[in-house]
Amino acid sequence: MSELTKPVKEQESFRQAMGWLHTWGGLVASWVLFTIFLTGTIGVFDEDITHWMNPEAAVVSDFDLASMTEQRVDAIKKGQSYLEVNAPDSHSWAIGMPTETEPGIRLFWRDEQNEFQETLLNLKTGEPMSAAENRETEGGHHFVHMHYEFHAGMAGIWLVGFFTMIMLVALISGIIIHKRIFKDFFTFRQKKGQRSWLDGHNASAVLTLPFQLMIAYTGLVIFLSIYMPAGVLANYSNPQQFFSELLDEPMPRPETGVHADVVDLSVLFQRAEVMLGKSARFMRVEHPGDSSAVTKVFGWFDEEDYYGQLLRDETGSVQFDATNGDVMNVIPPGEYDKGTPMAAQRVMRIMHFANFGGYSVRWLYFVMGMAGALMMATGAILFMVKRRQKSLNEFGSQTARVYRVIEVLNIAAISGLAVACISYFWLNRWIPLDITDRATWEIKGFFYVWLVMLFHSACRPATKAWFEQWSIFTLLALLLPVMNLLTTGHWLASYWQAGDWGSVGFELTVLVFGLMSLGLVLFLRRKMVSQVRQPQLKTRSEAVS
Amino acid sequence: MSMAMMMSVALCYAAMSGFSLAMPRHLMEVTDRRLSNTQIRLLRWTASLILILAYLPMWSEWGAGTGFVVWVSVLSVTSIVLVLLLSYWPKWAVRIAFLMMLAASLLWLMQ
């Protein structure tokens, strides 16, 4: 072996190793990552989706609560009296001012069983809002929760973190094995079978690579203290102490079991507003009814005030002893000063959340997020397209069976999830308004539809399953505005007239996705027709089923 | 969409189409003309210059850091549009590039 050829060979075997890593790591992670990406991308517009999903909610945006001191104080009073009667033995309370999507006094509490509860109170009456005033729904937040925890709490956060790590590995290994990254930079060869899938996979990844690297990395950094707890655990017997030193805040007080009434929160709220020199928006009480009770008031926060800021200013907060009103800590509004590491994390959080630049930044993130989802989907499909032409026999006699499982999971994870997402909006309009746990039923419905799609893809030949699921998606998407008109009386023109651009945007976007899906359905139909004409070219996976 | 954003979108699209046309494969789909090496180099330099120009409105509107993030985002999104156009309607990809340069100049004059 000459000296010249050796490095080349080593480079090749390195590339092959990376290729293996990319193929199998990518495949296994692609189903979960597609879910994370699709739901996260939809979640960019969570507020607008929540607004569309709650057509009964009165619009509060036409009065500006930030400038109405009396109404804010009144809201705190109503919130406190409701909580004192209905949730006296809770672990914590929180009272929030109305928002554009939640037009009532927002109450949250952890009950005796430490279960999270919430309700909305009518601003005028102080009574919980009825179904006629407010449709009980998780709205767009459902997608955000799917995105970072699959509605599975801490286990979900770990799962998302694990697969995000694999994504970073797949991105880096993908760059290494892509030999023609610059030569093929602008290349997408359509209607060329496997070639097109590879081009689509490469283009969606390469063109948005900075975004994909950034979003995966910042996603991990947001949960830094969960994913990498060792440093803190090694140096602090109580991790709370680390955070209290880091954030320059007093330690949380342990419960004493000694009863003590919570003072009038509205008085503390007003005092906090004076100390901060601005309106406040949110108030939390830890251990209400216990002598250790502490309350914290948070300064008003409007996204527009921080337009363009990656390192967002402090909104300000004041902490009181809730039993006697003594001030425990004040963080004045203004420049963020918790040190460089915390500032770096804060910047990454804000970059990840896409809320630093209004709608133009949201749309950019939406397109790049969809490109990311497309990268996962085309990668997973490419895996099967390659092997449909010619089996690579990775699993010996079981190969065909494993391929079939992969194909079924591809269909369920990609088109199945798309159908589940669009069904969620239909369920929002169809589930009766007055049933208990309505919001939960919407989410359950989402998962049931997804499960049905999984069964469907397991029962049908692959091409037919793709065709049928995208047909369902097309119908549900294109008919969504019609269904909305029939169930609520709202449609594009009425939204337009009302100046409700969020809902106009939502329905138009759904229609665009319906049309793209229609294109896909027509493509799949042509494919099925050509398969019928040439039965000898039946795909391997269909031969199995 | 702000003026700065429109300006940046137009310039990013124009710059990326410049880079793509400097590649014989994509030029072929648009015209029978062949570019000499000097012309290719000139095209690349012009595209690089336009790319940097596209950052300036972002910088002035959002500041250096945020502006950079948005500039990279605009670059990605306009590139996706360009690749789709090059694949399905290559002639329009170029026509739109010229339109974008025209739009950017008009926006600049209007300021």
Side-chain angles (χ1 to χ4, degrees):
Chain A
M1 193 190 289
S2 79
E3 283 302 306
L4 273 172
T5 54
K6 198 179 164 204
V8 175
K9 273 209 158 164
E10 264 174 21
Q11 214 181 10
E12 269 318 298
S13 72
F14 175 65
R15 265 217 175 110
Q16 265 167 15
M18 287 294 122
W20 187 91
L21 185 65
H22 186 82
T23 304
W24 293 99
L27 176 75
V28 172
S30 65
W31 303 308
V32 181
L33 286 173
F34 180 80
T35 310
I36 296 173
F37 264 68
L38 188 68
T39 54
T41 305
I42 297 171
V44 167
F45 293 113
D46 62 338
E47 292 295 312
D48 294 300
I49 291 172
T50 307
H51 174 68
W52 184 89
M53 290 179 77
N54 193 350
E56 282 79 17
V59 180
V60 286
S61 54
D62 39 324
F63 71 90
D64 178 19
L65 212 64
S67 60
M68 300 163 85
T69 312
E70 262 175 56
Q71 277 81 349
R72 286 198 306 278
V73 171
D74 185 55
I76 295 289
K77 273 189 185 143
K78 287 190 170 114
Q80 185 176 8
S81 35
Y82 181 88
L83 287 168
E84 274 172 350
V85 174
N86 296 285
D89 298 314
S90 302
H91 290 279
S92 69
W93 291 344
I95 308 170
M97 294 300 130
T99 63
E100 274 184 43
T101 50
E102 291 178 294
I105 306 163
R106 297 175 299 141
L107 299 185
F108 312 89
W109 65 96
R110 287 200 174 276
D111 65 13
E112 290 151 82
Q113 284 79 42
N114 217 13
E115 295 273 338
F116 184 77
Q117 307 286 349
E118 61 183 314
T119 195
L120 275 186
L121 300 186
N122 185 301
L123 269 171
K124 292 198 183 73
T125 63
E127 294 297 317
M129 290 175 93
S130 65
E133 299 173 287
N134 176 58
R135 185 174 293 225
E136 200 200 315
T137 176
E138 197 58 38
H141 305 307
H142 158 60
F143 296 104
V144 178
H145 282 276
M146 279 298 291
H147 171 65
Y148 77 88
E149 49 119 13
F150 302 123
H151 293 289
M154 199 50 94
I157 292 179
W158 273 102
L159 203 66
V160 170
F162 175 75
F163 282 104
T164 310
M165 280 304 296
I166 301 190
M167 176 177 170
L168 282 175
V169 171
L171 283 174
I172 304 293
S173 57
I175 297 167
I176 294 168
I177 61 174
H178 192 357
K179 288 183 195 166
R180 300 167 55 87
I181 202 159
F182 288 110
K183 280 189 185 139
D184 282 351
F185 200 88
F186 298 103
T187 305
F188 175 64
R189 283 155 288 192
Q190 33 144 340
K191 292 180 190 149
K192 293 251 163 62
Q194 186 179 330
R195 183 84 256 169
S196 305
W197 289 108
L198 181 60
D199 280 349
H201 181 62
N202 287 343
S204 53
V206 171
L207 297 176
T208 58
L209 196 59
F211 173 81
Q212 309 303 346
L213 287 167
M214 177 280 282
I215 212 74
Y217 187 78
T218 53
L220 290 171
V221 168
I222 289 172
F223 290 115
L224 192 64
S225 58
I226 292 176
Y227 294 145
M228 299 178 77
V232 177
L233 289 176
N235 291 294
Y236 291 84
S237 51
N238 180 1
Q240 290 290 354
Q241 196 186 339
F242 166 75
F243 290 107
S244 103
E245 283 174 23
L246 186 69
L247 300 173
D248 207 9
E249 283 186 47
M251 285 273 284
R253 303 200 293 197
E255 244 170 302
T256 59
V258 179
H259 176 81
D261 282 329
V262 172
V263 297
D264 186 348
L265 292 175
S266 65
V267 174
L268 299 185
F269 187 81
Q270 268 178 296
R271 275 176 60 201
E273 288 197 337
V274 172
M275 292 166 75
L276 294 174
K278 66 187 271 194
S279 309
R281 182 167 188 172
F282 199 80
M283 178 164 207
R284 200 172 61 206
V285 186
E286 298 297 330
H287 316 148
D290 192 81
S291 68
S292 66
V294 170
T295 181
K296 192 171 179 184
V297 181
F298 296 84
W300 195 279
F301 168 92
D302 272 327
E303 200 185 303
E304 302 88 73
D305 300 343
Y306 301 94
Y307 188 79
Q309 281 189 16
L310 283 183
L311 181 55
R312 202 168 269 179
D313 284 346
E314 287 278 10
T315 50
S317 66
V318 183
Q319 212 167 314
F320 298 98
D321 185 321
T323 61
N324 56 23
D326 287 347
V327 176
M328 293 171 68
N329 190 45
V330 183
I331 298 174
E335 208 167 296
Y336 190 77
D337 62 348
K338 299 289 177 283
T340 315
M342 285 305 285
Q345 196 206 24
R346 193 175 172 89
V347 167
M348 289 190 207
R349 251 180 98 91
I350 288 164
M351 271 175 78
H352 192 96
F353 286 175
N355 56 4
F356 58 89
Y359 276 100
S360 42
V361 165
R362 282 207 171 85
W363 276 111
L364 291 171
Y365 271 57
F366 184 80
V367 174
M368 293 188 290
M370 280 297 168
L374 197 67
M375 165 178 78
M376 321 292 179
T378 49
I381 293 168
L382 178 62
F383 181 96
M384 276 318 300
V385 170
K386 248 185 193 170
R387 282 156 182 80
R388 246 188 248 151
Q389 317 289 336
K390 184 171 167 286
S391 172
L392 298 180
N393 266 318
E394 293 102 328
F395 303 96
S397 60
Q398 294 298 309
T399 304
R401 201 160 292 175
V402 175
Y403 283 177
R404 173 66 186 157
V405 170
I406 292 171
E407 185 100 79
V408 167
L409 287 174
N410 273 356
I411 300 167
I414 299 167
S415 56
L417 177 66
V419 172
C421 287
I422 195 81
S423 304
Y424 178 66
F425 303 126
W426 282 72
L427 289 165
N428 171 260
R429 293 301 197 244
W430 274 11
I431 292 176
L433 289 181
D434 47 3
I435 64 166
T436 44
D437 290 332
R438 190 179 181 284
T440 316
W441 276 109
E442 284 182 2
I443 295 168
K444 276 186 187 162
F446 166 88
F447 282 109
Y448 287 148
V449 171
W450 201 1
L451 204 62
V452 169
M453 290 299 123
L454 176 64
F455 280 123
H456 172 260
S457 45
C459 295
R460 301 286 288 161
T463 314
K464 288 202 175 104
W466 283 116
F467 172 78
E468 284 159 5
Q469 296 199 2
W470 284 115
S471 300
I472 298 171
F473 180 89
T474 308
L475 280 177
L476 292 180
L478 293 181
L479 291 178
L480 188 83
V482 180
M483 184 274 295
N484 186 28
L485 177 65
L486 293 177
T487 49
T488 67
H490 295 301
W491 66 299
L492 275 170
S494 65
Y495 286 133
W496 191 289
Q497 268 177 344
D500 185 351
W501 306 121
S503 298
V504 171
F506 171 76
E507 293 206 350
L508 282 180
T509 308
V510 168
L511 286 178
V512 167
F513 275 84
L515 289 175
M516 290 197 293
S517 165
L518 183 64
L520 203 54
V521 168
L522 296 176
F523 164 78
L524 286 163
R525 207 178 63 146
R526 276 200 302 276
K527 209 174 131 185
M528 285 196 324
V529 170
S530 68
Q531 272 175 10
V532 172
R533 284 205 195 113
Q534 301 161 284
Q536 71 277 18
L537 286 180
K538 245 185 168 183
T539 63
R540 178 163 283 270
S541 55
E542 276 174 325
V544 173
S545 62
Chain B
M1 198 152 70
S2 68
M3 195 85 127
M5 185 66 100
M6 286 192 268
M7 187 91 164
S8 193
V9 165
L11 290 174
C12 279
Y13 181 90
M16 292 318 267
S17 41
F19 284 124
S20 67
L21 292 180
M23 298 163 110
R25 180 197 292 172
H26 298 296
L27 188 72
M28 228 167 60
E29 289 163 351
V30 180
T31 167
D32 294 331
R33 274 189 57 193
R34 293 285 164 275
L35 297 181
S36 68
N37 283 347
T38 324
Q39 282 170 317
I40 286 177
R41 218 168 294 140
L42 191 69
L43 188 55
R44 285 203 178 125
W45 277 107
T46 317
S48 311
L49 185 71
I50 297 173
L51 200 61
I52 294 163
L53 282 179
Y55 173 56
L56 298 181
M58 295 282 92
W59 187 359
S60 65
E61 166 147 330
W62 306 81
T66 315
F68 182 76
V69 175
V70 184
W71 176 65
V72 173
S73 306
V74 170
L75 207 52
S76 284
V77 172
T78 49
S79 302
I80 293 174
V81 175
L82 172 67
V83 166
L84 287 175
L85 286 172
L86 274 176
S87 175
Y88 290 90
W89 301 283
K91 291 224 161 67
W92 273 101
V94 183
R95 282 179 203 145
I96 291 172
F98 282 112
L99 281 177
M100 287 290 176
M101 277 313 288
L102 188 70
S105 324
L106 285 177
L107 283 171
W108 185 69
L109 284 176
M110 273 160 66
Q111 272 185 339

